[in-house]
Amino acid sequence: MARRVYSEPGDRIVSRDPVEVKRYGGLTRLNHWVTAITLILLALSGFAFFDPSLYWLSGLFGGGETTRWLHPFIGIVLFLSFMLLFLQLWRYNIMRREDLVWLSNFRDVVSGHEERLPELGKYNFGQKFVFWAMFWLILVLIISGVMIWYQFFPDLVSVETRRIALLTHSVSAVLIILTLILHIFAAFWTRGTLQAMVSGRVTGGWAWRHHRKWLRELARRQRADPAE
Ligand code: HEM
């Protein structure tokens, strides 16, 4: 059986006072923020078609026609960008037994008694849930999006199938926006987390408190090879 790994090759403990831990490299952060910006642009342009009361949002993109033309292309950028992120991170988002224990003791997470919870790898259940929800929803959005991209693929599917694809696209869009709200809320609620995606580093205390198994693995790795 393949050995479980909790840390990416670039993760490392930086010997400073206070100790810092490198969590994301520059390219991964760039990749994340491109993904984030494209999803927000898609939500804004998509809402313009969602209901006539929101049509004014198309003004942000230069009017209805440009918005309709632009939206699918931004969708392709989101898909490619997320897949790039996915390829880097999927391994560390595999659900483990300790994640279910963490979930069943969610009350301790909310009340700040994390010492009662199992030690975790790079991500917790909530982060993994968001990761996989975004993966599946983006897949459904891109497939249903191509089906309703009348301008380029007018004969791809029948009218009935296109109607179902449109409904699927709208429902998935609402679900991914809810997932994004959860993701942003968690990033702000857990103090010190935003820093991971801004500077790429977290404090040793943050890593010890929230992702101790990941930190222990880094310490072991660096003890075995101090030059790493
Ligand atoms: C604009 C709002 C966003 C903020 C403030 C934000 C913030 C963050 C932060 C702070 C992290 C690091 C968490 C950690 O390492 O513990 C993170 C990770 C991540 N974010 Fe975002 N993010 C945003 C939008 C998005 C969007 C739109 C997506 C995807 C569609 C996304 C996908 C991810 C993924 C995949 C990770 C890595 C976590 C994992 O693999 O489980 N984020 N984000």
Side-chain angles (χ1 to χ4, degrees):
M1 205 173 73
R3 202 172 66 83
R4 286 183 182 173
V5 179
Y6 297 99
S7 53
E8 288 186 74
D11 299 344
R12 71 186 315 275
I13 300 166
V14 184
S15 298
R16 284 226 184 102
D17 191 17
V19 172
E20 279 187 344
V21 187
K22 190 166 168 237
R23 193 159 165 87
Y24 296 109
L27 286 179
T28 310
R29 278 177 282 145
L30 180 68
N31 192 176
H32 172 268
W33 291 117
V34 168
T35 311
I37 290 166
T38 47
L39 188 63
I40 290 165
L41 291 178
L42 282 162
L44 291 172
S45 52
F47 271 134
F49 316 130
F50 199 71
D51 189 86
S53 66
L54 297 169
Y55 184 73
W56 59 271
L57 282 168
S58 66
L60 296 172
F61 302 87
E65 215 173 301
T66 339
T67 311
R68 182 67 193 84
W69 178 84
L70 207 56
H71 181 86
F73 286 106
I74 307 176
I76 291 177
V77 179
L78 169 77
F79 173 69
L80 296 176
S81 179
F82 184 83
M83 286 307 147
L84 206 60
L85 204 55
F86 177 84
L87 289 176
Q88 296 165 65
L89 302 176
W90 70 269
R91 264 182 219 93
Y92 316 104
N93 282 285
I94 295 171
M95 288 289 178
R96 307 276 181 212
R97 191 197 302 266
E98 64 258 27
D99 295 316
L100 301 179
V101 178
W102 184 91
L103 178 65
S104 59
N105 292 295
F106 192 68
R107 197 180 293 192
D108 291 329
V109 180
V110 179
S111 61
H113 288 296
E114 276 171 280
E115 71 282 359
R116 295 183 194 154
L117 296 161
E119 296 189 0
L120 300 177
K122 187 154 182 167
Y123 299 112
N124 62 37
F125 174 88
Q127 292 169 304
K128 291 179 182 180
F129 170 81
V130 166
F131 181 83
W132 291 107
M134 281 176 169
F135 170 72
W136 288 111
L137 289 168
I138 288 173
L139 217 53
V140 172
L141 282 162
I142 191 84
I143 295 169
S144 56
V146 169
M147 285 176 164
I148 58 176
W149 200 354
Y150 192 76
Q151 192 182 2
F152 284 91
F153 306 104
D155 304 314
L156 190 64
V157 291
S158 66
V159 175
E160 289 74 24
T161 310
R162 194 173 305 127
R163 280 190 197 131
I164 297 170
L166 183 59
L167 182 66
T168 310
H169 197 75
S170 314
V171 171
S172 317
V174 171
L175 290 178
I176 203 164
I177 290 166
L178 293 177
T179 310
L180 176 63
I181 293 171
L182 186 67
H183 179 62
I184 297 174
F185 179 78
F188 281 90
W189 187 66
T190 315
R191 262 176 51 198
T193 304
L194 202 59
Q195 213 38 43
M197 260 314 161
V198 177
S199 68
R201 286 163 190 234
V202 289
T203 62
W206 183 95
W208 176 256
R209 182 161 179 193
H210 303 296
H211 301 281
R212 202 167 296 177
K213 207 182 251 184
W214 172 68
L215 182 68
R216 284 191 201 280
E217 188 176 80
L218 294 181
R220 252 196 325 271
R221 224 165 68 182
Q222 286 174 232
R223 209 177 301 131
D225 180 7
E228 202 210 336

